[in-house]
């Protein structure tokens, strides 16, 4: 089966959530899944479940870097180093043999410059034929969009954040 | 924590997938999840994984009814009976005590009349305060939209179906 490329973008709830769901579905079909998250330290509730699933390998940065806009220059340099290493590790593991590679928040990581979009785009252009890849994050570049077979915009029509309700355990993280 | 109501609608990939991801995240946070699907017979790959997760209870119709538009009158009557019973079972289980109730494709089931939207809307209006509810499907009614705290439209920007690629195991089901 040819591996296709998915982008989940937009400002609505459901980008990471759908990437988690796809990892679960693929694992349920006996596929080998590599699941990677940028800007997250692996403490989200979904990680606790994904790590119990046969066929799912987590490639994570366990350091909490927080939001890019709140990092100082040293923090940004550390994030660039850690997330660039994380991308390298994930691409290496995927090239060694996997059916699905999830790169959650990779689009945001490219936009902030903490990973090199050129490296990611080059991988997508020459990836193993059978590898399915999922990228999430707001505002994908034209270069990434051009590579995608699936593009879904998660469009926010209503979100409780707009009523001052902040992220809740088990729902947003 | 107050339980909110989510709608995932639109024509893009990711509605059921996000509902699965949310069930996984909630279970990872120690929550009790009831997961129900209309128009599906429980053979999707994600079900094989969800049924292994602690805290997730599946309430399914194991009969294959197929697409509503292809059913004859007897098939439609059987679907109305089975899916109405399924809704009753799911709402009863959720009312007995749960943190998250996923009603995958409930919106489509209301639109086809195989479940009674009035019954669903009445439940949403008087649901247990702590219960989070997720509904998925295209073209939600104004009545259901009015009840929702989260509304995300999964908007199709690109889908391989448009190039003649049909649903693939581990990706769409």
């Amino acid at each position: 089966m040819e591996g296709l490329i998915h982008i989940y973008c937009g400002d609505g709830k459901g980008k990471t959530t759908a990437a988690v769901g796809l990892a679960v579905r693929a694992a349920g079909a006996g596929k080998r899944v590599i699941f990677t998250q940028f800007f997250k330290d692996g403490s989200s509730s979904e990680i606790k479940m994904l790590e119990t699933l046969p066929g799912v390998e987590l490639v994570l940065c366990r350091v909490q870097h927080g939001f890019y806009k709140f990092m100082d220059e040293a923090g940004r340099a550390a994030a660039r180093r850690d997330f660039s290493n994380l991308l390298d590790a994930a691409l290496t593991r995927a090239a060694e043999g996997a059916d699905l590679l999830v790169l959650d928040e990779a689009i945001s990581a490219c936009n902030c410059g903490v990973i090199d979009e050129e490296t990611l785009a080059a991988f997508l252009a020459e990836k193993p034929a059978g590898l399915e890849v999922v990228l999430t994050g707001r505002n994908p570049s034209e270069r990434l969009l051009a590579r995608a077979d699936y593009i879904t915009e998660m469009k926010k029509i209503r979100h409780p954040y707009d009523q001052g309700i902040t992220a809740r355990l088990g729902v947003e993280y």
Side-chain angles (χ1 to χ4, degrees), chain A residues 1 33 47 61 84 93 98 113 119 126 129 143 145 149 165 169:
Chain A
M1 191 168 90
V33 178
I47 298 297
C61 173
S84 296
R93 291 295 300 119
T119 301
E126 306 201 349
R143 177 160 57 178
L145 288 170
D149 302 288
I165 297 175
L169 178 67

Side-chain angles (χ1 to χ4, degrees), chain A residues 2-8 22 99-101 103 107 120-136 140 143-152:
Chain A
E2 193 192 356
L4 302 182
I5 297 172
H6 305 230
I7 285 181
Y8 288 125
L22 197 61
D99 301 300
L100 173 64
L101 169 64
L103 296 171
I107 292 167
L120 176 57
F123 177 83
L124 295 176
E126 306 201 349
K127 70 172 183 61
L131 181 69
E132 196 95 7
V133 182
V134 175
L135 310 176
T136 78
R143 177 160 57 178
L144 293 179
L145 288 170
R147 291 274 167 218
D149 302 288
Y150 294 82
I151 304 171
T152 303

Side-chain angles (χ1 to χ4, degrees), chain A residues 36-39 59-65 68 71-90 109 112-116 119:
Chain A
T36 299
Q37 290 187 311
F38 299 92
F39 293 115
V59 178
L60 301 172
C61 173
R62 294 284 186 175
V63 178
Q64 177 56 267
H65 284 287
Y68 188 75
M71 296 175 195
D72 61 15
E73 210 30 66
R76 290 181 175 188
R80 271 195 299 277
R81 179 197 64 216
D82 287 356
F83 292 129
S84 296
N85 288 341
L86 184 67
L87 179 65
D88 286 347
C112 292
V114 300
I115 62 173
D116 178 34
T119 301

Side-chain angles (χ1 to χ4, degrees), chain A residues 10-91:
Chain A
D11 60 355
K13 177 166 175 59
K15 299 182 290 296
T16 295
T17 325
V20 169
L22 197 61
V24 169
R25 179 177 294 143
K31 295 179 183 288
R32 297 159 300 171
V33 178
I34 309 289
F35 189 94
T36 299
Q37 290 187 311
F38 299 92
F39 293 115
K40 298 176 183 174
D41 66 355
S43 63
S44 294
S45 304
E46 63 266 28
I47 298 297
K48 293 181 179 66
M49 287 286 107
L50 288 177
E51 66 193 1
T52 71
L53 298 185
V56 178
E57 179 182 341
L58 300 170
V59 178
L60 301 172
C61 173
R62 294 284 186 175
V63 178
Q64 177 56 267
H65 284 287
F67 288 105
Y68 188 75
K69 64 180 175 183
F70 298 136
M71 296 175 195
D72 61 15
E73 210 30 66
R76 290 181 175 188
R80 271 195 299 277
R81 179 197 64 216
D82 287 356
F83 292 129
S84 296
N85 288 341
L86 184 67
L87 179 65
D88 286 347
L91 299 185

Side-chain angles (χ1 to χ4, degrees), chain A residues 7-16 39 67 69 103-112 117 135-142 144-145 152-156 159 161-162:
Chain A
I7 285 181
Y8 288 125
C9 55
D11 60 355
K13 177 166 175 59
K15 299 182 290 296
T16 295
F39 293 115
F67 288 105
K69 64 180 175 183
L103 296 171
D104 183 41
E105 294 288 0
I107 292 167
S108 314
C110 287
N111 290 344
C112 292
E117 185 176 292
L135 310 176
T136 78
R138 296 186 188 199
N139 303 317
S141 69
E142 287 301 321
L144 293 179
L145 288 170
T152 303
E153 179 190 356
M154 270 65 172
K155 192 173 169 192
K156 181 184 74 175
H159 195 295
Y161 184 83
D162 297 328

